[in-house]
C-alpha cells in the first residue's frame, strides 16, 4: 500500500454504449444512472479522458443542482477520484453548487476541472432526469474533442477503480484527509456573491432601490439551485423585502415542475408579475445558468436581452468599464439583434453552434466579452458558463443606470423601445415540439436536409422578400483551435435576411425534441412594437409547409413557444 490510508479496489465492468455527452453533458433518466455501474463507468471515463497531465494529482471541483441522486453520485465520485490519484476534491456543501458558481470556483482555485451534476432545466426526481458534465480548467464545459474522448473511453471500459473510504459528511464546511487525498467542503454561495458584487455597481443599484421603493422586483428560483444565491443577493445584499423572492428553497424534484425559465414552465412567475404589477420579474433554471427577464408589460426575448446588456456594458457595468468590450457572440439560432450592437460598437461578432462550450476558446483568447443564446442563456467572460443571476443583476444595473441618466424611473418596456428605435427589431420566436417519436423526428429532419440545396433555394413564398436565398447545414470552424463542428442545424435564409432554423435537441432524455426558430428584421418605426407571433406568422406557415412537421409527427401545436 502507498502512502494513502486507503486501498484501491479494481471492479470489473461492462461498457454501456449510450454514454455520449449531448449539447451539455450526459443526461438520462435517474433509472438509467442507477443501473449497475452506469454512473461509475461514466465517472471513470471522465478521469480516463481528462486532458494532460490527467487525473493524477489533480484538483477537481464537484457540485450539482440539488436534484434527486445528487449525494449518491457525489459519494461515488469521491471514491473513484481518490482511487484514480486525484489529489483534492473541492465540493459544495451538501453537494450543491450552481453551474456558474462551480465555473467560478474552478477558476478562482485554479483547479484542473470540475464535475457538474445536473440535468439543468429538465425535471428531477426518481422518475426524471439526472446528468453529469465535465468542465475543464478554464471553468467551461469540455470541448468536443474531450467529450468525444469520454464517449470513446466509455465504450471500451472494462474496469474502474474505487477507494475503500467511507461515505463522507457533505453537510459541514470542513477539510478531510485520507492519506494524501483531501476533500474540502466549501460554502456554496459566498464566493459567487462576492464575484457578483465585484462585477456590478451595487452602490448604484442600492441607491436606486432606495430612491424608488415602489419599484417591484420578483425573483423566482423555480425550486432550483439558485434559491440561496438569490436570497443572499436580493434580500441580504440589496435589502429587498422577502416578498421579492419566490420558490427559493432547492427541492430534489423542483416541486414536481420543469425548472425551466420560459413563458410556459415559469407560469407562476408570469401570473405573479402580471397580477402584482412587477417591474422586474426574473427566473433561473434548475442549475442556475439560465435566466428569464419579464415585466408586467414586456417579455424580454433572450436574443434581445443579450443585445441590450452588450449595448450598455461599458457604459453601466464596472466590470466592462475596466475590461472594455472585446467582442460579442451568439449561438447560430439566436437572433442577429446583438450583431447590430457589435457593428455600432465596432467589435467583432462571432456566430457559434448551439451550446456554451463554443464560447470558451474565444473568451480565453481575449476576443469575447458578452454572449448569449436564444435559450435563455446569457453571460460573459467573468466565468465560462452562462450565468442566470448575472444576467438578472445586469438588468437591474442597467435600469438603475438609465434611470439616473434620464432623471426618472425607466421601465423595461421603455428600454426595449429605445433599443428598437436605435437598431431596429429582430422579431424572434422558438417553437419546441417535445417528446416527439424519435424515428419520426429523424425522418422529418433528414428529408428536409436532403432537399435543402436542391429544391429549396430559389423557392418563393408569395413575395420576392420571402424567396429562399440560402439553405445549408450549419458548420463551424473554431477561429482559435481550428476544430470543425459539422451538422449544427438546418438554416433556411430568405432574401430579406429572415431565417427559419431547424434543430433536434441534444439535451432531452426521452424521445426527440424538434426546435423551430424564426427570425425577421424590421426597422419601420410604426412596426417596432407588433405582436411577435403575428409578425412571424408568414415564416411559421412556411416552416410547417416545408418540414411537413404535422404529417411526420402528428403534432398540430408546439409544446413550448418562446
Ligand atoms: C439547449 C439549448 C442550448 C443550451 C443547452 C444547455 O440545447 O438549446 O442553447 O446551451 O440546452 O442549456 P438543445 O440541444 O436541447 O437545443 V442548460 O441550461 O440545459 O445546461
Ligand atoms: Co441550465
Amino acid at each position: 500500500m502507498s502512502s494513502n490510508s486507503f486501498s484501491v479496489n479494481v471492479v470489473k465492468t461492462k461498457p454501456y454504449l449510450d454514454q455520449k455527452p449531448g449539447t451539455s453533458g450526459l443526461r438520462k433518466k435517474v433509472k438509467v444512472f442507477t443501473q449497475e455501474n452506469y454512473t461509475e463507468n461514466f465517472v471513470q471515463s471522465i478521469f480516463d479522458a481528462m486532458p494532460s497531465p490527467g487525473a493524477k494529482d489533480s484538483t477537481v471541483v464537484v457540485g450539482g443542482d440539488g436534484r434527486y441522486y445528487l449525494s449518491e453520485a457525489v459519494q461515488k465520485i469521491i471514491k473513484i477520484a481518490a482511487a484514480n490519484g486525484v489529489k483534492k476534491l473541492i465540493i459544495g456543501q451538501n453537494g450543491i453548487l450552481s453551474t456558474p458558481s462551480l465555473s467560478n470556483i474552478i477558476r478562482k482555485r485554479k483547479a484542473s476541472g470540475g464535475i457538474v451534476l445536473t440535468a439543468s432545466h429538465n425535471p428531477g426526481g426518481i422518475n426524471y432526469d439526472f446528468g453529469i458534465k465535465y468542465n475543464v480548467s478554464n471553468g467551461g464545459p469540455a470541448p468536443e474533442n474531450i467529450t468525444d474522448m469520454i464517449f470513446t473511453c466509455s465504450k471500451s471500459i472494462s474496469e474502474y477503480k474505487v477507494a475503500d473510504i467511507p461515505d463522507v459528511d457533505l453537510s459541514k464546511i470542513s477539510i478531510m484527509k485520507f492519506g494524501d487525498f483531501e476533500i474540502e467542503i466549501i460554502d456554496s454561495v459566498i464566493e459567487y456573491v462576492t464575484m457578483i458584487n465585484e462585477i456590478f455597481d451595487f452602490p448604484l443599484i442600492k441607491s436606486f432601490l432606495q430612491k424608488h421603493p415602489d419599484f417591484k422586483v420578483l425573483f423566482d428560483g423555480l425550486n432550483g439551485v439558485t434559491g440561496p444565491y438569490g436570497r443572499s443577493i436580493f434580500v441580504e445584499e440589496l435589502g429587498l423585502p422577502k416578498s421579492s423572492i419566490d420558490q427559493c428553497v432547492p427541492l430534489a424534484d423542483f416541486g414536481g415542475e420543469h425548472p425551466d425559465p420560459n413563458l410556459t414552465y415559469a407560469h407562476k412567475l408570469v401570473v405573479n408579475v402580471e397580477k402584482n404589477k412587477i417591474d422586474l420579474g426574473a427566473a433561473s433554471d434548475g442549475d442556475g445558468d439560465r435566466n428569464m427577464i419579464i415585466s408586467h408589460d414586456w417579455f424580454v426575448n433572450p436574443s434581445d436581452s443579450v443585445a441590450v446588456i452588450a449595448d450598455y456594458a461599458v457604459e453601466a457595468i464596472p466590470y466592462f468599464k475596466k475590461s472594455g468590450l472585446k467582442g460579442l457572440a451568439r449561438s447560430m439560432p439566436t437572433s442577429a439583434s446583438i450583431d447590430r450592437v457589435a457593428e455600432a460598437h465596432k467589435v467583432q461578432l462571432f456566430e457559434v453552434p448551439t451550446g456554451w462550450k463554443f464560447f470558451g476558446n474565444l473568451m480565453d483568447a481575449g476576443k469575447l466579452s458578452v454572449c448569449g443564446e436564444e435559450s435563455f442563456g446569457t453571460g460573459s467572460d467573468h466565468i465560462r458558463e452562462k450565468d442566470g443571476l448575472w444576467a438578472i443583476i445586469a438588468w437591474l444595473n442597467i435600469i438603475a443606470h438609465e434611470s439616473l441618466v434620464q432623471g426618472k424611473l425607466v421601465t423595461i418596456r421603455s428600454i426595449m423601445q429605445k433599443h428598437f428605435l436605435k437598431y431596429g427589431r429582430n422579431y424572434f420566436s422558438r417553437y419546441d415540439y417535445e417528446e416527439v417519436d424519435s424515428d419520426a423526428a429523424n425522418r422529418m429532419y433528414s428529408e428536409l436536409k436532403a432537399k435543402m440545396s436542391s429544391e429549396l433555394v430559389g423557392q418563393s413564398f408569395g413575395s420576392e422578400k420571402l424567396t429562399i436565398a440560402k439553405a445549408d447545414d450549419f458548420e463551424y470552424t473554431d477561429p482559435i483551435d481550428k476544430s470543425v463542428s459539422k451538422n449544427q442545424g438546418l438554416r433556411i435564409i430568405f432574401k430579406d435576411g429572415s431565417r427559419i432554423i431547424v434543430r433536434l435537441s441534444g439535451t432531452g432524455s426521452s424521445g426527440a425534441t424538434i426546435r423551430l426558430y424564426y427570425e425577421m428584421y424590421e426597422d419601420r418605426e410604426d412596426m417596432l412594437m407588433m405582436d411577435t407571433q403575428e409578425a412571424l406568422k408568414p415564416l411559421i406557415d412556411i416552416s410547417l409547409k416545408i418540414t411537413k412537421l404535422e404529417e411526420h409527427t402528428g403534432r398540430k401545436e408546439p409544446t413550448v413557444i418562446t
Side-chain angles (χ1 to χ4, degrees):
M1 204 157 114
S2 67
S3 63
N4 285 339
S5 67
F6 54 83
S7 56
V8 169
N9 299 321
V10 175
V11 181
K12 294 272 170 247
T13 186
K14 287 207 181 75
Y16 289 90
L17 299 178
D18 65 345
Q19 298 193 323
K20 185 174 167 53
T23 312
S24 181
L26 180 71
R27 292 186 193 174
K28 302 276 177 197
K29 295 272 184 253
V30 166
K31 288 196 169 126
V32 175
F33 274 103
T34 52
Q35 292 173 94
E36 193 184 11
N37 296 337
Y38 192 91
T39 300
E40 288 86 345
N41 278 10
F42 192 68
V43 172
Q44 179 66 53
S45 301
I46 289 177
F47 289 123
D48 290 339
M50 245 172 96
S52 170
K56 189 148 182 4
D57 293 330
S58 62
T59 296
V60 177
V61 185
V62 180
D65 60 10
R67 70 177 60 225
Y68 186 85
Y69 196 56
L70 173 65
S71 13
E72 288 90 333
V74 173
Q75 299 292 355
K76 287 182 200 289
I77 290 169
I78 291 172
K79 295 179 180 72
I80 298 172
N84 279 274
V86 170
K87 189 159 183 243
K88 176 166 180 161
L89 289 183
I90 301 172
I91 307 177
Q93 191 173 13
N94 295 314
I96 289 195
L97 284 173
S98 75
T99 294
S101 158
L102 189 140
S103 180
N104 179 45
I105 305 275
I106 294 177
R107 297 170 65 77
K108 285 274 152 67
R109 300 292 195 95
K110 300 199 173 6
S112 325
I115 299 180
V116 201
L117 302 165
T118 174
S120 190
H121 56 283
N122 297 10
I126 190 163
N127 293 315
Y128 293 98
D129 295 6
F130 191 71
I132 304 183
K133 182 171 81 164
Y134 181 64
N135 280 24
V136 290
S137 61
N138 73 356
E144 278 187 336
N145 62 328
I146 296 173
T147 54
D148 287 348
M149 179 60 87
I150 297 173
F151 183 42
T152 304
C153 293
S154 76
K155 284 188 291 190
S156 62
I157 191 168
S158 60
E159 56 185 46
Y160 63 86
K161 295 194 201 101
V162 47
D164 74 337
I165 50 183
D167 278 1
V168 307
D169 180 359
L170 301 172
S171 71
K172 289 193 197 68
I173 310 291
S174 61
I175 292 184
M176 289 166 257
K177 284 191 177 15
F178 301 88
D180 292 340
F181 175 63
E182 184 177 301
I183 300 173
E184 181 179 353
I185 310 285
I186 60 165
D187 183 282
S188 315
V189 176
I190 291 175
E191 289 192 45
Y192 179 82
V193 175
T194 305
M195 175 191 78
I196 290 288
N197 245 298
E198 287 165 3
I199 293 173
F200 296 105
D201 195 339
F202 269 63
L204 173 76
I205 299 173
K206 279 184 199 165
S207 76
F208 163 80
L209 291 172
Q210 270 156 15
K211 204 162 151 200
H212 301 284
D214 46 338
F215 182 84
K216 285 198 210 157
V217 176
L218 180 59
F219 169 70
D220 189 333
L222 298 181
N223 307 310
V225 74
T226 39
Y229 298 83
R231 182 186 307 274
S232 174
I233 293 173
F234 293 109
V235 180
E236 285 150 31
E237 291 285 317
L238 295 173
L240 286 164
K242 286 209 183 72
S243 58
S244 48
I245 59 170
D246 191 23
Q247 307 201 94
C248 274
V249 177
L251 301 176
D253 67 349
F254 307 111
E257 310 275 336
H258 282 242
D260 195 354
N262 58 40
L263 295 171
T264 303
Y265 296 126
H267 185 68
K268 186 175 176 212
L269 173 73
V270 176
V271 170
N272 283 336
V273 162
E274 178 90 11
K275 195 172 79 193
N276 301 317
K277 290 268 171 283
I278 299 294
D279 300 289
L280 172 61
S284 188
D285 70 334
D287 65 325
D289 55 358
R290 297 187 177 203
N291 75 94
M292 173 164 83
I293 305 289
I294 187 170
S295 68
H296 59 85
D297 58 1
W298 197 264
F299 160 70
V300 184
N301 191 288
S303 296
D304 290 333
S305 175
V306 68
V308 170
I309 294 174
D311 202 22
Y312 276 99
V314 170
E315 185 186 326
I317 300 172
Y319 177 91
F320 299 106
K321 274 184 198 165
K322 234 183 275 161
S323 71
L325 205 58
K326 294 167 186 159
L328 300 175
R330 61 171 169 83
S331 66
M332 181 273 282
T334 304
S335 92
S337 191
I338 191 173
D339 301 29
R340 297 169 203 285
V341 175
E343 205 185 326
H345 289 263
K346 300 194 170 51
V347 295
Q348 210 176 339
L349 182 281
F350 300 90
E351 181 181 39
V352 309
T354 295
W356 209 259
K357 58 187 171 223
F358 295 104
F359 294 123
N361 277 350
L362 294 166
M363 290 179 178
D364 289 350
K367 288 178 178 299
L368 173 57
S369 294
V370 177
C371 55
E373 294 190 277
E374 46 60 46
S375 54
F376 298 87
T378 325
S380 89
D381 62 350
H382 65 293
I383 52 171
R384 295 293 180 273
E385 290 276 6
K386 53 188 186 266
D387 191 343
L389 278 164
W390 174 92
I392 298 164
I393 307 300
W395 268 93
L396 198 49
N397 195 148
I398 289 166
I399 294 167
H401 169 82
E402 187 65 23
S403 296
L404 188 69
V405 170
Q406 292 195 25
K408 62 167 198 219
L409 178 63
V410 301
T411 63
I412 288 182
R413 186 186 167 93
S414 73
I415 289 177
M416 289 315 311
Q417 199 159 12
K418 190 176 164 197
H419 188 89
F420 296 150
L421 278 169
K422 188 166 162 197
Y423 293 108
R425 179 170 178 189
N426 289 74
Y427 283 95
F428 179 89
S429 186
R430 180 174 110 180
Y431 280 30
D432 295 328
Y433 298 80
E434 296 176 333
E435 296 197 35
V436 170
D437 175 69
S438 291
D439 291 340
N442 289 330
R443 228 178 298 123
M444 186 201 97
Y445 195 84
S446 45
E447 264 183 33
L448 180 65
K449 185 171 169 167
K451 63 181 182 190
M452 290 291 284
S453 52
S454 55
E455 260 174 70
L456 288 183
V457 177
Q459 255 193 64
S460 183
F461 296 86
S463 71
E464 175 62 17
K465 271 168 49 177
L466 287 182
T467 301
I468 299 177
K470 188 174 166 181
D472 66 4
D473 193 345
F474 183 61
E475 186 176 310
Y476 177 67
T477 304
D478 186 295
I480 312 302
D481 66 17
K482 308 292 175 210
S483 60
V484 178
S485 301
K486 296 185 175 188
N487 308 319
Q488 297 297 321
L490 305 180
R491 303 193 290 184
I492 297 159
I493 306 175
F494 295 85
K495 282 205 171 142
D496 71 345
S498 293
R499 300 191 305 167
I500 297 170
I501 313 289
V502 184
R503 274 185 73 247
L504 296 180
S505 157
T507 58
S509 66
S510 56
T513 293
I514 299 171
R515 305 201 194 285
L516 301 181
Y517 310 76
Y518 307 102
E519 176 181 5
M520 182 200 78
Y521 179 67
E522 179 60 68
D523 61 0
R524 286 168 289 182
E525 213 179 308
D526 58 336
M527 307 280 268
L528 294 176
M529 302 300 269
M530 285 189 291
D531 174 73
T532 299
Q533 297 306 317
E534 228 166 86
L536 294 171
K537 179 100 184 11
L539 287 179
I540 294 164
D541 290 344
I542 294 171
S543 78
L544 297 178
K545 213 181 280 173
I546 59 182
T547 59
K548 299 200 182 115
L549 185 129
E550 190 183 339
E551 190 181 306
H552 282 289
T553 67
R555 296 290 178 92
K556 287 193 190 326
E557 299 291 335
T559 331
V560 178
I561 294 182
T562 296

